[in-house]
Amino acid sequence: MAPDAPLLAVEDLKVHFAVEGRRYRAVDGVSFAVDRGRTLGVVGESGCGKSVTSLAIMRLVSQPPGIYAGGRIVFGGTDLLALPEGRMRALRGGRIGMIFQEPMTSLNPVYTCGDQIVESLRVHSGLSRRAARARAVELLDLVRLPSPAKRADDYPHQLSGGQRQRVMIALALANSPDLLIADEPTTALDVTIQAQILELMKDLQERTGTAILLITHDLGVVAETCDEIVVMYAGTIVERAPTQALFADPQHPYTIGLMAAVPRIDVEAERLATIEGSVPPPWAELRGCRFAGRCPLADERCRREPPPLRPLATGHDVACWYAPIERRAA
Amino acid sequence: MIETVANRLLLSIPVLFGVLILGFALVTLAPGDPARVMAGPAAPPEVVAQIRDRMGLDDPVVVQFLRYLGRVAEGDLGRSLISNRTVTAELGAAIVPTVELMVACLVWSIPLGIAMGTLAAVWRGSIVDRIIMTISVAGVSLPIFFICLVLIQVVGVQWRLLPFIGRGGPLWTVEGLRHIALPALSLGLIFIGPVARMTRSSVLEVLRLDHVRTARAKGLSERRVILRHGLRNALIPVVTLIGLQAGYLLGGAVVTETIFSYPGIGRLAVGAILSSDFPLAQGAILVLALAFILINLIVDVLYALLDPRVQRR
Ligand SMILES: Nc1ncnc2c1ncn2[C@@H]1O[C@H](COP(=O)(O)OP(=O)(O)O)[C@@H](O)[C@H]1O
Ligand SMILES: [Mg+2]
């Protein structure tokens, strides 16, 4: 592995679902890379394939109905899709940790928070019960739960949503992963708690050097936390850019529309203030651009030929025939 | 935990009272005259009248009931009209065999039912699943007496493998085990079906939950995921079901004991009722009701042990 190779490189990933004889193209040719210690944001409306992408990296898409229909997921130089199950299992919760959207239900209600962290520690590192327990308390302290030794003996239902998400973070970080996948980690939380959790993740990243793949439907969340952002639409990537560049100069009509939905954005997005229409159903056989049905700029060519993801400026890639789009500053 | 038990015990008091009324009413309202039974069919009417008087059978019902309550409170359940031994002695002798039968039945049927249900859930839709579910449905829909008779006919009479009459001694002796095998098998067979089906649906439901995805994301083996994060949680409704089936189990024990001439409470109750041995019938019903309450108490404790959300409430 070259020293400058990214920690994680998803290359043309395709994950489909075969349901009742139909093929749902939930993820259809997605590529991005996460460098060591960096944060990549993946944004897009609900249903665009973000969770499926993240589960695919953990190789936890259930088969059937899921099908890994193509592409590679290269992590630390090896293609995860080609890895034997035993070695993949060692990576899950080991070098790759994951946090989920639903803190209320993501922990097992019948075990204490401490025991659930201990289980992960012992499976991966073979620590003694006592050492694992001490480490679990340390981790709960790391995620800033007050009186961590007591919290370790609490059952999940005795904690609030924010506290449970902290436990989830402790669990995901238990074995010092190189990559932390956070799938909508703050969506289910109150706004103030959201900010605390994001701050905690940033802070832990600085201390542990873990890379983060932050998945969210909320542009406000990625703006403050990510180095680079990927915008997904209907199973594909429509735009990819460093955070600064994306917010300063969004290029895809879909991105522009998304930003119009976020207050405090200083670009006037012509006629896209709300994105009309809805995401095409994933089984639709679309020949052209998937956004064409909702795009004010769409023409014959857009409906006929899918626009490739092509570089505009350094690091700013867009899948739109019309890019670069001329816009007036507000 | 202690609170759970105390609450449940308090709740059992009205149940127990109801059972006492019921047992008393059954005997008082039933056809047949206890005095006549005691005196024997050939006794002259004056003797019968004398006995009626001595037993207070001509007093108002309420007085009879209060008197009955008073005696029960003192642990005096009367004497059997047939054997003239005390009812407590008769019941005492029958309780151990029945408890043995329950243990011998549950000790294999519940683990097997849970294992079958789990396998069926894990291999959902496979041939294994279909076979297991077919067996379960058969177990539920066949009446217990039919299972008993088939087992007696095949295993007992044709193959001559196991005895099918009476009790051979305590459970830990070879003869005891050989004698209890067929009754315990029959009684267990009706239990496997519900347990297996409940386990299957419960495991399937739990395996879809978010915390199971977390368990997989921790890198646990599939076996560990299914047993520790699937089955462990799925047991909670299964235990509830077992509690609900307790009455079914006791009813089944009555039938099984009778068919196999097994000297337990169930056969005692049936015999007492058939021979109009009222004090003994009352006592047996009381014991069966107590057993029902006790099983439910055990289930509640298990439930609280299995589900920390209950425990801390
Ligand atoms: N197990 C599954 N079976 C069938 N379809 C699925 C399954 N999981 C996800 N999908 C479909 O894949 C698409 C993407 O879902 P998802 O990745 O969860 O979206 P989101 O971006 O909101 O996380 C959706 O259309 C969803 O219906
Ligand atoms: Mg999602």
Side-chain angles (χ1 to χ4, degrees):
Chain A
M1 185 175 81
D4 58 344
L7 174 67
L8 172 77
V10 174
E11 299 169 2
D12 198 27
L13 178 68
K14 292 183 177 154
V15 184
H16 299 172
F17 291 96
V19 181
E20 287 159 11
R22 279 211 275 214
R23 213 169 160 94
Y24 294 70
R25 297 163 193 280
V27 176
D28 209 23
V30 160
S31 306
F32 56 79
V34 187
D35 291 320
R36 283 177 187 282
R38 307 277 284 175
T39 303
L40 176 73
V42 177
V43 270
E45 282 167 290
S46 173
C48 71
K50 306 181 299 291
S51 293
V52 172
T53 304
S54 61
L55 286 175
I57 297 169
M58 293 292 261
R59 235 173 66 192
L60 284 177
V61 175
S62 51
Q63 295 172 277
I67 300 160
Y68 293 102
R72 302 201 311 155
I73 299 172
V74 182
F75 177 78
T78 42
D79 180 7
L80 299 187
L81 293 182
L83 216 56
E85 175 61 22
R87 286 188 54 203
M88 188 65 223
R89 211 183 293 137
L91 286 180
R92 286 185 203 125
R95 291 185 62 200
I96 310 178
M98 187 155 180
I99 318 170
F100 300 97
Q101 175 174 348
E102 305 81 7
M104 302 315 268
T105 54
S106 289
L107 291 164
N108 190 331
V110 308
Y111 300 114
T112 62
C113 298
D115 281 347
Q116 299 188 51
I117 298 173
V118 164
E119 184 178 32
S120 178
L121 286 167
R122 280 169 58 87
V123 160
H124 287 281
S125 60
L127 285 180
S128 74
R129 193 169 290 282
R130 277 186 57 200
R133 156 85 196 189
R135 174 86 182 118
V137 173
E138 247 175 67
L139 283 160
L140 291 177
D141 189 36
L142 187 72
V143 298
R144 295 194 217 123
L145 269 183
S147 43
K150 251 165 78 189
R151 291 292 85 79
D153 290 327
D154 277 350
Y155 289 93
H157 73 272
Q158 295 168 290
L159 304 182
S160 70
Q163 289 176 322
R164 288 189 216 184
Q165 201 61 304
R166 285 172 194 266
V167 174
M168 278 301 291
I169 294 174
L171 181 60
L173 293 178
N175 297 294
S176 314
D178 297 328
L179 174 66
L180 177 66
I181 302 175
D183 187 0
E184 312 247 14
T186 60
T187 305
L189 303 173
D190 294 346
V191 181
T192 46
I193 313 287
Q194 279 191 17
Q196 289 171 14
I197 294 286
L198 287 176
E199 193 196 322
L200 173 69
M201 286 174 57
K202 271 324 256 186
D203 184 48
L204 291 175
Q205 178 175 42
E206 269 161 35
R207 289 162 74 176
T208 61
T210 179
I212 298 179
L213 181 63
L214 180 62
I215 291 169
T216 173
H217 66 274
D218 185 349
L219 271 176
V221 167
V222 285
E224 287 148 32
T225 40
C226 299
D227 302 306
E228 200 187 355
I229 294 173
V230 162
V231 182
M232 279 184 77
Y233 184 79
T236 59
I237 289 180
V238 293
E239 184 159 4
R240 184 170 61 199
T243 308
Q244 292 270 311
L246 189 85
F247 280 91
D249 187 23
Q251 281 299 318
H252 197 281
Y254 176 65
T255 317
I256 297 170
L258 270 187
M259 285 184 182
V262 183
R264 87 173 173 71
I265 288 297
D266 52 354
V267 288
E268 184 197 327
E270 304 142 34
R271 284 178 298 144
L272 271 168
T274 56
I275 311 178
E276 304 245 322
S278 55
V279 187
W283 65 84
E285 288 291 335
L286 292 173
R287 276 187 297 137
C289 173
R290 289 172 184 232
F291 190 56
R294 296 167 81 183
C295 181
L297 304 176
D299 62 10
E300 257 320 294
R301 185 190 190 190
C302 298
R303 281 183 262 277
R304 209 175 50 235
E305 275 178 74
L309 195 64
R310 64 197 160 90
L312 286 188
T314 347
H316 201 135
D317 304 327
V318 184
C320 177
W321 295 120
Y322 275 92
I325 296 172
E326 299 284 327
R327 282 173 306 107
R328 290 177 285 119
Chain B
M1 179 58 69
I2 291 165
E3 212 172 308
T4 314
V5 174
N7 272 339
R8 170 54 78 169
L9 282 177
L10 275 179
L11 281 176
S12 335
I13 290 177
V15 178
L16 207 56
F17 195 71
V19 168
L20 285 168
I21 292 182
L22 207 71
F24 177 76
L26 272 175
V27 171
T28 315
L29 304 178
D33 183 350
R36 165 58 71 189
V37 175
M38 243 180 126
E46 307 85 71
V47 177
V48 175
Q50 216 177 1
I51 294 175
R52 285 190 68 82
D53 190 44
R54 201 172 63 220
M55 291 173 73
L57 290 177
D58 295 319
D59 291 341
V61 174
V62 177
V63 174
Q64 288 192 45
F65 180 61
L66 289 178
R67 199 154 51 211
Y68 170 62
L69 278 190
R71 274 187 279 120
V72 169
E74 286 171 359
D76 173 14
L77 297 177
R79 284 178 178 272
S80 161
L81 301 184
I82 307 287
S83 71
N84 203 32
R85 298 209 303 147
T86 62
V87 168
T88 36
E90 294 265 11
L91 292 173
I95 281 177
V96 173
T98 295
V99 170
E100 281 185 358
L101 178 60
M102 296 285 156
V103 170
C105 154
L106 298 179
V107 83
W108 71 275
S109 65
I110 288 181
L112 185 64
I114 288 173
M116 281 167 61
T118 309
L119 285 183
V122 170
W123 290 322
R124 174 178 76 260
S126 73
I127 183 81
V128 176
D129 181 18
R130 251 169 279 160
I131 291 172
I132 288 177
M133 281 306 106
T134 310
I135 295 173
S136 308
V137 172
V140 176
S141 43
L142 289 178
I144 171 108
F145 74 87
F146 181 76
I147 296 177
C148 292
L149 293 181
V150 168
L151 283 175
I152 289 177
Q153 178 62 27
V154 177
V155 184
V157 177
Q158 282 177 8
W159 297 348
R160 295 171 175 280
L161 263 179
L162 290 168
F164 51 90
I165 296 172
R167 174 166 180 259
L171 194 53
W172 55 87
T173 62
V174 174
E175 271 313 296
L177 275 178
R178 273 171 46 81
H179 276 81
I180 213 167
L182 282 184
L185 191 64
S186 312
L187 194 52
L189 278 178
I190 61 164
F191 223 63
I192 286 183
V195 172
R197 287 201 303 174
M198 187 66 185
T199 305
R200 178 183 186 272
S201 68
S202 182
V203 167
L204 281 179
E205 207 172 299
V206 171
L207 286 181
R208 274 198 298 271
L209 297 180
D210 291 335
H211 77 253
V212 172
R213 186 183 54 191
T214 306
R216 294 207 167 95
K218 285 203 288 195
L220 306 187
S221 66
E222 194 57 20
R223 178 199 181 92
R224 203 178 163 97
V225 169
I226 287 167
L227 293 181
R228 262 183 68 91
H229 295 271
L231 180 59
R232 170 65 178 76
N233 296 55
L235 283 182
I236 295 166
V238 172
V239 162
T240 310
L241 173 96
I242 292 172
L244 291 175
Q245 297 273 325
Y248 199 45
L249 182 70
L250 291 171
V254 171
V255 176
T256 312
E257 288 181 4
T258 307
I259 293 181
F260 287 97
S261 307
Y262 186 84
I265 294 287
R267 196 183 67 133
L268 192 77
V270 172
I273 290 166
L274 288 181
S275 57
S276 303
D277 190 344
F278 299 112
L280 191 57
Q282 271 177 338
I285 290 169
L286 193 62
V287 168
L288 287 174
L290 280 176
F292 187 80
I293 291 170
L294 186 69
I295 293 176
N296 276 289
L297 186 67
I298 294 171
V299 162
D300 276 5
V301 171
L302 271 181
Y303 191 90
L305 283 177
L306 283 175
D307 192 344
R309 288 164 296 188
V310 175
Q311 211 169 10
R312 310 281 161 128
R313 222 175 26 212

